[in-house]
């Protein structure tokens, strides 16, 4: 009997692993013929055919067009992932909005929607109810396209431990049983509902759908009302010993600065977050809690910056300096290959990137200054990462859909 880690491997476990290997090959190289799959995996052609039948029955793969592999011989039928079957739902709770995104198994965006909401004025239960309505709309929209949403992951801007949100200061959440709350209100799905820190999911979104894949180990900075950071090391999120890594927004950069919702004073997000920048630019009428949504607020700021407004440019320059100072300290500890500016820092990049880079250089250790790149995903990275995590879980264990 085959053993793994000293324990005997059951036949069912072997098949489950083989299904994952085969689906991974199809996802990476499809359309690909059965003969090529056998060559790549080392499975016999009979094993490949049997496994493909199981994956096809679950709606995960399908036959496609004929594929020519090599100069000689007849073309074979190419097998691809089924982009019209199972799908993943990403959901995001943030301070001033809720968002949803559906990805098919081929990682194509099939639906996305954002709803402006001042979630600081709502209880966790009311916020979850709003997210529930958005999730049901997304599932219905996916069904109209012939897709079946099989799982969901929710991005939450806070410190998470197990099934609870320990602290989400900008939402006013303390010790909230998030997993149970979400299970009660979200649509019934085949896979368990998951949740993760917004900044970690944004980093994964950047890795899978944005600029991250060729960047090596990178630090993704999510700029919203709060500021978070996700560190990708070896293609995985680095979470720290207790899962609290990346709380960049609560690094103190101005000891005599304004009080923060976390209980500290002069935290980075209080001087370089969305509301701080808008306020310094004189845009107090479009901060969170007003009728304007987050996209409209930043668009108003960008218009001022493009027009050369001195107050707006000074506000962004000061925020960039403080952000760069915090990043310089972080880089000394983590030594990433690259720093990625995401969230609101992405549309503000033409004005904020230079002061960030200057502060990084001023605080550099032995001249080690990582390049600063701009996320093409901006504020959509977290919800994309959430939906992408569902797809990754299906690829890693397709047998989940058979149990």
């Amino acid at each position: 009997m085959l053993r793994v880690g000293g324990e005997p491997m059951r036949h069912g476990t072997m098949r489950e692993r083989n299904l994952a290997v085969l689906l991974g090959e199809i996802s990476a190289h499809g359309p690909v013929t059965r003969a090529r799959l056998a060559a790549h995996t080392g499975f016999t052609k009979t094993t490949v055919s049997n496994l493909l039948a199981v994956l096809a029955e679950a709606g995960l793969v399908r036959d496609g067009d004929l594929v020519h592999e090599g100069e000689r011989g007849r073309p074979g039928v190419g097998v691809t992932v089924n982009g019209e079957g199972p799908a993943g739902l990403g959901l995001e709770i943030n301070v001033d909005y809720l968002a949803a995104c559906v990805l098919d198994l081929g990682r194509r965006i099939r639906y996305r929607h954002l709803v402006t909401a001042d979630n600081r004025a709502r209880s966790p239960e009311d916020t979850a109810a709003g997210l529930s309505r958005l999730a049901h709309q997304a599932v219905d929209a996916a069904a109209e396209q012939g897709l079946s949403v099989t799982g969901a992951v929710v991005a939450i801007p806070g410190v998470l431990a197990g099934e609870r949100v320990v602290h989400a200061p900008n939402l006013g959440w303390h010790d909230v049983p998030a997993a149970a709350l979400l299970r009660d209100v979200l649509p019934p799905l085949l896979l368990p509902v998951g949740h993760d820190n917004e900044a970690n999911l944004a980093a994964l979104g950047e890795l899978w759908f944005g600029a991250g894949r060729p960047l090596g180990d990178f630090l993704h900075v999510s700029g919203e009302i709060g500021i978070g950071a996700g560190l990708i090391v070896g293609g995985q999120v680095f979470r720290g010993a207790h899962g609290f890594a990346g709380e960049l927004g609560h690094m103190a950069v101005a000891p005599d600065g304004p009080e923060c919702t976390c209980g500290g004073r002069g935290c980075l997000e209080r001087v370089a977050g969305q509301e701080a920048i808008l306020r310094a630019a004189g845009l107090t009428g479009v901060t969170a809690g007003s009728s304007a949504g987050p996209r409209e607020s930043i668009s108003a700021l960008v218009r001022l910056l493009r027009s050369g407004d001195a107050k707006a440019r000074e506000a962004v320059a000061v925020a960039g300096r403080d952000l760069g100072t915090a990043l310089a300290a972080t880089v000394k500890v983590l030594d990433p290959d690259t720093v990625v500016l995401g969230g609101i820092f992405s549309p503000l990049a033409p004005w904020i990137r230079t002061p960030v880079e200057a502060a990084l250089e001023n605080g550099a250790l032995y001249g080690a200054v990582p390049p600063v790149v701009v996320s093409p995903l901006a504020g959509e990275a977290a919800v994309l990462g959430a939906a992408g995590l569902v797809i990754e879980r299906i690829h890693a264990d397709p047998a989940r859909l058979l149990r």
Side-chain angles (χ1 to χ4, degrees), residues 341-354:
L341 297 181
I344 65 164
F345 299 136
S346 184
L348 297 181
W351 302 275
I352 205 170
R353 184 176 180 177
T354 297

Side-chain angles (χ1 to χ4, degrees), residues 16 46 74 128 157 206 242:
E16 290 170 3
T46 299
R74 300 172 59 183
E206 198 66 46
H242 304 97

Side-chain angles (χ1 to χ4, degrees), residues 140-163:
D140 291 344
E144 291 175 359
Q145 300 180 59
L147 300 172
S148 174
V149 173
T150 57
V153 169
V154 183
I156 302 174
V159 176
L160 282 60
E163 297 197 340

Side-chain angles (χ1 to χ4, degrees), residues 126-153:
D126 286 344
T127 299
L131 192 71
S132 174
R133 289 189 290 272
L134 191 62
H136 279 87
Q137 291 170 9
V139 170
D140 291 344
E144 291 175 359
Q145 300 180 59
L147 300 172
S148 174
V149 173
T150 57
V153 169

Side-chain angles (χ1 to χ4, degrees), residues 6 42 86 103-104 134 149 169 214 228 236 268 280 304 342 364:
L103 295 177
D104 65 26
L134 191 62
V149 173
Q236 303 290 327
L268 178 64
L304 283 180

